[in-house]
Amino acid sequence: MLNDTLHNPKTVTILGSTGSVGCNTLDLIGNNPEAYKVIALTANRNVTKLAEQAIRFNAEWAVIADETCYGDLKAALSGKNIKVAAGQQALDEAAQLPAEWVMASIVGAAGLRPTLSAIRRGGIVALANKECLVCAGDLMMQEVLDHKATLLPVDSEHNAIFQVFDFDKPDSVESITLTASGGPFINSSLEEMKKATPQQAVAHPNWDMGAKISVDSATMMNKGLEFIEAYHLFPVKQDQIDIIIHPQSVIHSMVTYRDGSVLAQLGSPDMRIPISYSLGWPKRVETPAKKLDLTEFKRLDFMKPDMEKFPALRLAREALHLGGTAPTILNAANEVAVFAFLEGRIGFLDIVATVEETLTQIETSPLTCLRMVHAIDDEARVVAQNVIDRF
Ligand code: NDP
């Protein structure tokens, strides 16, 4: 397995180490500590967890995005041989430190700059942060090409497709199908969804994830974002990407070939499986994840998504079809709306309504440079906030 790396540990950096994906990544590293050398760990504000992780994994650097947390982090790590830094610039620099493998697991468009910094080093970037690709897809993929970086999809659906897609013969692919659990409200009425609380929305039936992606799963905006993500990651056209509800989350996605063969990747709903795939790539490494036992399932269900209950799917498709700045606007408005919902300022159905209203209020244009991504992202956040203030 990893024995050949024992005397040559793989150097790794985790952007967003204190989050759900970050902790799962460190869990895998902790299972085989001599195989890895942690270069940098980063967080936004969670000083306690970041310091704990940095000490346990003997990181060279601990970097906190929020500069006001610098003093606390410095104090928490005093006497340890760990370098401390804070702020956006420090985050970008952490992403550029010489690590063979960088996990991009910051949540939201805030992850774009550090992820790009890691890409520009030309190494391996394991991409969990789907919002980066949604808000800057073409530009980001161009950077991947320009810098000869290797982008490994960590999102379970895209990781599944990555495992079964024949990249040598893309023309042999008829379509790709992203599976979706349907989230906690798959069997709820619109009336019930209207009254949904943040606690209900984050209670995902199969996956244990951060708050933002859990709400995205409940609105199914997550699948919309993944639709856009898939378009950028794989050589397929928009009309070759399907979405199917599969409540048991056993099949993580599939590729249909022109001869009628369908190749799928299956596994327990445990993010350590796709993370380990990217961590060990091109080898496979052992994980503590429960092995799939298909006999435990009496049945596997599949159904078409209800587009009336989950308009986020339509909005994401439309945004990708419109192109240019539309996906950037969609993503920024969604982030603002999810945050407002989690704070109890708007209702559950207002999340997607905010995104739709923001998209109608801002005229879309071609997206020509990364500076424009940030400008449009800022503008969409202001418009979305105004929409929310009116609710
Ligand atoms: P979490 O909310 O659990 O963690 C987010 C991480 O990003 C934390 O380390 C957080 O630090 C950090 N962070 C948040 N805001 C900022 C900021 N402004 N600047 C710098 N760092 C920041 O998210 P998840 O781990 O659930 O998700 C991470 C990404 O992976 C998302 O894009 C999500 O869509 C994607 N993903 C997640 C999956 C999952 O199972 N969770 C599955 C597939 C994809 P702090 O702790 O200090 O707030």
Side-chain angles (χ1 to χ4, degrees):
M1 222 50 74
L2 278 170
N3 291 344
D4 57 340
T5 63
L6 280 180
H7 303 292
N8 188 16
K10 186 180 247 181
T11 47
V12 302
T13 282
I14 305 174
L15 306 171
S17 64
T18 51
S20 162
V21 172
C23 289
N24 275 320
T25 308
L26 283 173
D27 185 61
L28 292 168
I29 289 174
N31 279 330
N32 200 352
E34 21 347 284
Y36 304 96
K37 166 83 192 97
V38 176
I39 303 297
L41 299 176
T42 83
N44 187 29
R45 306 204 70 231
N46 194 340
V47 169
T48 310
K49 199 181 248 183
L50 180 61
E52 258 170 41
Q53 292 177 335
I55 293 167
R56 173 164 174 225
F57 290 93
N58 197 20
E60 284 184 9
W61 283 89
V63 179
I64 195 101
D66 187 329
E67 289 185 41
T68 63
C69 299
Y70 177 77
D72 289 344
L73 185 62
K74 188 94 185 138
L77 291 174
S78 87
K80 311 283 174 198
N81 190 21
I82 299 168
K83 288 169 268 202
V84 175
Q88 282 305 316
Q89 181 69 26
L91 209 60
D92 294 349
E93 285 168 12
Q96 282 166 355
L97 289 166
E100 291 160 78
W101 187 88
V102 177
M103 165 57 83
S105 58
I106 290 174
V107 64
L112 177 61
R113 266 182 51 174
T115 303
L116 282 173
S117 295
I119 287 171
R120 287 174 184 148
R121 279 204 59 248
I124 298 179
V125 178
L127 185 76
N129 179 283
K130 64 193 84 182
E131 293 92 344
C132 292
L133 265 185
V134 172
C135 70
D138 289 338
L139 297 169
M140 186 165 148
M141 293 312 286
Q142 191 56 49
E143 296 266 349
V144 171
L145 283 177
D146 291 349
H147 298 277
K148 299 187 173 53
T150 303
L151 202 59
L152 299 175
V154 169
D155 221 343
S156 60
E157 297 76 2
H158 305 74
N159 185 268
I161 291 170
F162 188 79
Q163 293 194 39
V164 294
F165 196 102
D166 189 344
F167 288 94
D168 291 331
K169 300 187 207 75
D171 290 345
S172 64
V173 172
E174 175 92 24
S175 63
I176 61 176
T177 304
L178 304 174
T179 53
S181 69
F185 303 134
I186 187 69
N187 296 316
S188 308
S189 67
L190 267 173
E191 222 19 68
E192 287 164 332
M193 286 163 74
K194 194 173 174 188
K195 295 187 213 125
T197 64
Q199 288 75 15
Q200 290 168 325
V202 298
H204 196 280
N206 305 338
W207 298 92
D208 185 10
M209 309 182 285
K212 196 258 174 185
I213 184 176
S214 297
V215 175
D216 283 346
S217 299
T219 59
M220 287 199 71
M221 181 59 87
N222 183 47
K223 213 47 59 180
L225 300 178
E226 287 179 2
F227 176 80
I228 299 173
E229 184 185 11
Y231 171 75
H232 291 295
L233 285 174
F234 305 112
V236 290
K237 300 197 178 71
Q238 295 175 32
D239 60 6
Q240 286 178 288
I241 310 172
D242 293 326
I243 293 171
I244 191 170
I245 305 283
H246 167 42
Q248 292 88 357
S249 299
V250 168
I251 296 180
H252 297 305
S253 279
M254 38 203 160
V255 176
T256 302
Y257 286 88
R258 296 212 182 272
D259 65 358
S261 301
V262 181
L263 267 59
Q265 185 261 355
L266 287 69
S268 300
D270 185 327
M271 278 306 291
R272 290 175 299 182
I273 298 174
I275 294 170
S276 80
Y277 182 87
S278 72
L279 188 57
W281 185 88
K283 297 179 187 170
R284 289 188 187 261
V285 299
E286 220 34 90
T287 77
K290 181 175 181 292
K291 298 287 182 298
L292 182 66
D293 177 358
L294 280 174
T295 62
E296 286 176 6
F297 295 87
K298 290 200 182 68
R299 51 191 265 189
L300 295 181
D301 298 300
F302 304 94
M303 61 201 99
K304 288 203 164 97
D306 181 335
M307 302 302 272
E308 206 187 315
K309 261 171 62 178
F310 299 108
L313 294 171
R314 170 181 54 81
L315 285 185
R317 261 189 198 273
E318 285 172 2
L320 182 61
H321 185 69
L322 268 173
T325 53
T328 321
I329 298 166
L330 171 105
N331 180 67
N334 183 57
E335 285 190 32
V336 172
V338 169
F339 189 62
F341 169 71
L342 285 170
E343 287 197 326
R345 288 188 279 122
I346 58 172
F348 180 74
L349 296 183
D350 299 334
I351 300 173
V352 178
T354 301
V355 177
E356 179 146 35
E357 181 59 25
T358 307
L359 275 165
T360 51
Q361 284 193 26
I362 306 177
E363 206 173 315
T364 55
S365 55
L367 196 56
T368 51
C369 64
L370 287 162
R371 196 173 303 162
M372 200 172 161
V373 175
H374 295 294
I376 295 292
D377 180 90
D378 287 347
E379 182 186 352
R381 282 170 200 269
V382 172
V383 172
Q385 194 52 60
N386 288 338
V387 172
I388 286 168
D389 291 344
R390 285 210 314 273
F391 274 125

